[in-house]
């Protein structure tokens, strides 16, 4: 099991995120670990969650010691723009995954990181006392047998993609560095500087999708983070949130 202890991680940190840094062996959910008055940049990780939380009330299952399970406190001035921040985080995770595996990683709007159609990571944003707790789960060293068996969202880990073990500490540091750079850019000028990179990694563009009661062809991510869909009736619709299902 690669070590995520403070002794290992703190010397590797180069930016603001990860200060303070807390690591535990086991917890309900890392989303609960940090006190409400934590400063921006506070990070908690765990080797195992007994009640890991996913989006839309789902559970997030891990294999002890095999996943990256991290929560980061952010205090953006515009906490209401969760759709944008979710994409900022997903882009950072996609870049870190890509560096680890040496193959393209995509962003599946609004918050999934996918490689070759398989989900490798997800983002959960939760508001708390004026802060946003940004939860990131990345499948790192799970075997195929220990990944969730979900036909709706087939999963992969860095290990199933490359056939070798990966260092969770290196992945954590990469995620924090990419996130800090993109988060700072987003705070300064919004999503605009990230749109080109998001478009390049857009896993839905050109695909037939269904989000809530809107079905049609995904056209891309709009400047405000909404998903553009050419709906089956020919009109262009902008969808702010939801789960994008890709039939078939
Ligand atoms: C999703 O794709 O549904 C989002 C999954 C988010 C999982 C992470 S793991 C670390 C943090 N703690 C949690 O309980 N959830 C998030």
């Amino acid at each position: 099991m690669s070590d995520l202890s403070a002794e290992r991680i703190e010397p590797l940190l180069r930016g603001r995120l990860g200060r303070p840094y807390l690591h535990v062996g086991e917890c309900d959910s890392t989303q609960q670990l940090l006190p409400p008055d934590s400063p921006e940049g506070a990070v908690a990780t765990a080797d195992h969650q007994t009640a890991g939380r996913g989006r839309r009330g789902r559970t997030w299952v891990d294999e002890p010691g095999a996943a990256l399970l991290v929560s980061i406190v952010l205090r953006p001035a515009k906490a209401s723009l969760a759709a944008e921040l979710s994409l900022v985080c997903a882009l950072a995770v996609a870049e870190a995954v890509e560096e680890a595996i040496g193959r393209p990683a995509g962003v599946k709007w609004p918050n999934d990181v996918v490689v070759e159609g398989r989900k490798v990571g997800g983002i959960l944003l939760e508001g708390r006392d004026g802060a946003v707790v940004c939860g990131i789960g990345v499948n790192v060293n799970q075997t195929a047998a220990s990944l969730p068996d979900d036909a709706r969202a087939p999963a992969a880990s860095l290990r199933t993609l490359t056939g070798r073990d990966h260092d969770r500490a290196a992945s954590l540091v990469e995620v924090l560095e990419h996130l800090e750079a993109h988060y700072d850019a987003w705070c300064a000028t919004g999503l605009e500087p990230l749109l080109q990179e998001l478009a390049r990694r857009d896993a839905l563009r050109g695909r037939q999708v269904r989000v809530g009661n809107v079905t049609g062809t995904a056209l891309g991510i709009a400047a405000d983070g909404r998903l553009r869909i050419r709906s089956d009736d020919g009109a262009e619709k902008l969808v702010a949130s939801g789960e994008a299902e890709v039939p078939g």
Side-chain angles (χ1 to χ4, degrees):
M1 180 197 303
S2 52
D3 178 16
L4 292 180
S5 68
E7 294 71 33
R8 170 91 202 280
I9 296 300
E10 283 172 347
L12 301 176
L13 297 173
R14 288 188 285 265
R16 299 189 326 277
L17 301 188
R19 303 171 199 279
Y21 177 80
L22 171 69
H23 174 72
V24 299
E26 181 179 299
C27 63
D28 296 351
S29 162
T30 56
Q31 295 290 93
Q32 306 282 91
L33 279 182
L34 294 162
D37 60 351
S38 295
E40 174 162 280
V43 165
T45 63
D47 290 324
H48 175 51
Q49 296 180 135
T50 55
R53 304 207 286 251
R55 284 179 77 230
R56 307 178 84 75
R58 289 194 284 262
T59 53
W60 182 262
V61 179
D62 68 81
E63 176 190 334
L68 188 58
L69 309 165
V70 50
S71 294
I72 306 158
V73 173
L74 298 174
R75 296 186 173 277
K78 39 190 182 179
S80 57
L81 300 179
E84 293 189 19
L85 183 53
S86 175
L87 290 166
V88 172
C89 297
L91 178 59
V93 174
E95 289 171 342
V97 165
E98 186 164 307
E99 279 176 19
I101 65 172
R103 273 144 69 189
V107 171
K108 177 174 172 274
W109 182 95
N111 79 320
D112 287 348
V113 175
V114 294
V115 175
E116 292 149 19
R118 293 182 171 269
K119 179 164 171 169
V120 177
I123 318 292
L124 172 70
L125 298 185
E126 295 180 315
R128 193 183 340 137
D129 299 317
V132 178
V133 183
C134 166
I136 295 173
V138 182
N139 300 326
V140 180
N141 288 323
Q142 287 98 324
T143 59
S146 64
L147 285 168
D149 183 18
D150 182 349
R152 188 191 50 81
S157 69
L158 305 189
R159 178 174 166 183
T160 63
L161 290 164
T162 63
R164 64 179 173 85
D165 266 9
H166 288 260
D167 181 6
R168 289 183 305 157
S171 295
L172 173 61
V173 170
E174 288 298 332
V175 166
L176 295 179
E177 285 186 6
H178 285 283
L179 178 57
E180 185 165 327
H182 293 326
Y183 174 70
D184 286 350
W186 176 69
C187 286
T189 49
L191 214 48
E192 163 60 34
L194 309 180
L195 285 175
Q196 204 178 340
E197 199 51 37
L198 280 167
R200 203 171 70 77
R201 294 178 186 277
D202 185 346
L204 292 179
R205 193 179 200 139
R207 311 279 305 269
Q208 185 72 13
V209 295
R210 180 171 61 235
V211 186
N213 56 10
V214 181
T215 57
T217 306
L219 299 176
I221 296 166
D224 60 3
R226 289 185 291 177
L227 184 65
R228 297 170 51 222
I229 298 178
R230 170 79 60 210
S231 85
D232 291 340
D233 64 13
E236 183 175 327
K237 306 238 164 94
L238 286 162
V239 181
S241 63
E243 186 88 347
E245 294 172 58
V246 181

